């Protein structure tokens, strides 16, 4: 696992493109760190093995931290430049985070475009209109089109969201509209 982590980190440092991570990459790293910790706990406190295991854990955490930061910056760049990003490049956790970030980015870009065209925030019914959703998947916190935070949501949660945000969740199969009449 150390080699996979190192190769991913090396790619992110040397290339301008986002590297491909296996879907279970972060889960694998977690298992790897847990294994190092368990081995360290079983070793004799004064042995060379424990010193090496502690150094390995420190290096893994440092490289992982840098990898996360590099990937974060590239993902933000993709979304702010309205480039399409294939989710094939992302680990499962990154997909969930990225899917919640895209609607925020789109809403903010629309806001900026309208403002630059001399239009202020619309108080139209579309912006104020809300819909009740039942979530079918866990969703991290998002920023709605009204610039308010919503969530996080877990499976079976009910929430009232702006129509524009609700449409995105329904389209992606993350929630269903609940008729409350």
């Amino acid at each position: 696992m150390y080699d996979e982590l190192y190769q991913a980190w090396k790619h992110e440092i040397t290339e301008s493109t986002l590297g491909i991570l296996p879907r279970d990459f972060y889960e694998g790293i977690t298992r790897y760190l847990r294994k190092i910790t368990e081995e360290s706990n079983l070793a004799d406190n004064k042995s060379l093995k424990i010193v090496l295991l502690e150094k390995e854990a420190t290096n893994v955490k440092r490289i992982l931290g840098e990898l996360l930061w590099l990937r974060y910056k590239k993902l933000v760049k993709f979304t702010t430049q309205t480039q399409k990003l294939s989710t094939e490049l992302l680990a499962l956790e990154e997909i969930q985070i990225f899917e919640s970030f895209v609607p925020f980015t789109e809403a903010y870009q629309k806001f900026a475009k309208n403002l630059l065209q001399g239009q202020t925030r619309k108080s139209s019914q579309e912006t104020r209109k809300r819909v009740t959703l039942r979530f079918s998947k866990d969703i991290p916190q998002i920023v709605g089109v009204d610039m308010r935070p919503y969530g996080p949501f877990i499976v079976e949660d009910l929430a009232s969201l702006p129509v524009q945000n609700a449409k995105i969740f329904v389209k992606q199969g993350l929630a269903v509209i609940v008729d409350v009449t």
Side-chain angles (χ1 to χ4, degrees):
M1 192 71 222
Y2 188 88
D3 290 335
E4 284 181 59
L5 174 63
Y6 179 78
Q7 290 304 319
W9 170 79
K10 187 175 176 183
H11 176 90
E12 299 304 335
I13 289 233
T14 59
E15 304 293 328
S16 62
T17 60
L18 193 63
I20 299 171
L21 289 183
R23 290 276 190 251
D24 64 345
F25 181 78
Y26 296 116
E27 189 177 311
I29 291 292
T30 302
R31 282 192 310 266
Y32 179 60
L33 276 170
R34 200 174 312 126
K35 179 183 169 201
I36 293 171
T37 303
E38 288 170 2
E39 284 184 37
S40 175
N41 290 339
L42 295 175
D44 179 21
N45 283 343
K46 297 181 182 183
S47 73
L48 176 60
K49 182 176 182 176
I50 198 167
V51 172
L52 294 174
L53 288 169
E54 287 172 354
K55 279 286 190 194
E56 185 174 356
T58 300
N59 286 339
V60 167
K61 290 175 185 175
R62 182 184 54 80
I63 292 171
L64 180 60
E66 288 181 22
L67 173 70
L68 291 168
W69 179 244
L70 291 164
R71 289 183 66 82
Y72 170 78
K73 290 192 303 187
K74 288 179 183 181
L75 286 168
V76 168
K77 183 179 176 183
F78 270 104
T79 56
T80 57
Q81 294 178 349
T82 62
Q83 297 178 8
K84 296 295 179 192
L85 178 68
S86 170
T87 56
E88 297 298 316
L89 300 171
L90 306 177
L92 187 60
E93 296 84 355
E94 289 175 325
I95 291 171
Q96 293 170 337
I97 294 166
F98 188 71
E99 286 176 347
S100 68
F101 187 68
V102 170
F104 164 76
T105 303
E106 290 170 351
Y108 197 84
Q109 288 170 344
K110 184 177 179 182
F111 158 74
K113 180 182 173 187
N114 289 341
L115 193 60
L116 290 171
Q117 292 175 351
Q119 300 172 1
T120 59
R121 181 178 163 198
K122 296 179 183 174
S123 61
S124 69
Q125 285 186 329
E126 183 67 22
T127 302
R128 292 184 295 183
K129 190 173 178 186
R130 301 171 73 74
V131 130
T132 301
L133 296 178
R134 180 178 50 81
F135 288 87
S136 53
K137 295 194 178 164
D138 293 348
I139 306 292
Q141 185 177 36
I142 66 156
V143 176
V145 295
D146 57 0
M147 303 309 273
R148 293 182 180 173
Y150 294 94
F153 305 106
I154 60 172
V155 174
E156 298 298 322
D157 270 357
L158 293 175
S160 176
L161 294 170
V163 169
Q164 293 149 314
N165 293 105
K167 286 178 183 177
I168 293 168
F169 286 127
V170 170
K171 183 179 177 185
Q172 293 178 350
L174 303 171
V176 294
I177 294 176
V178 175
D179 185 11
V180 291
T181 57

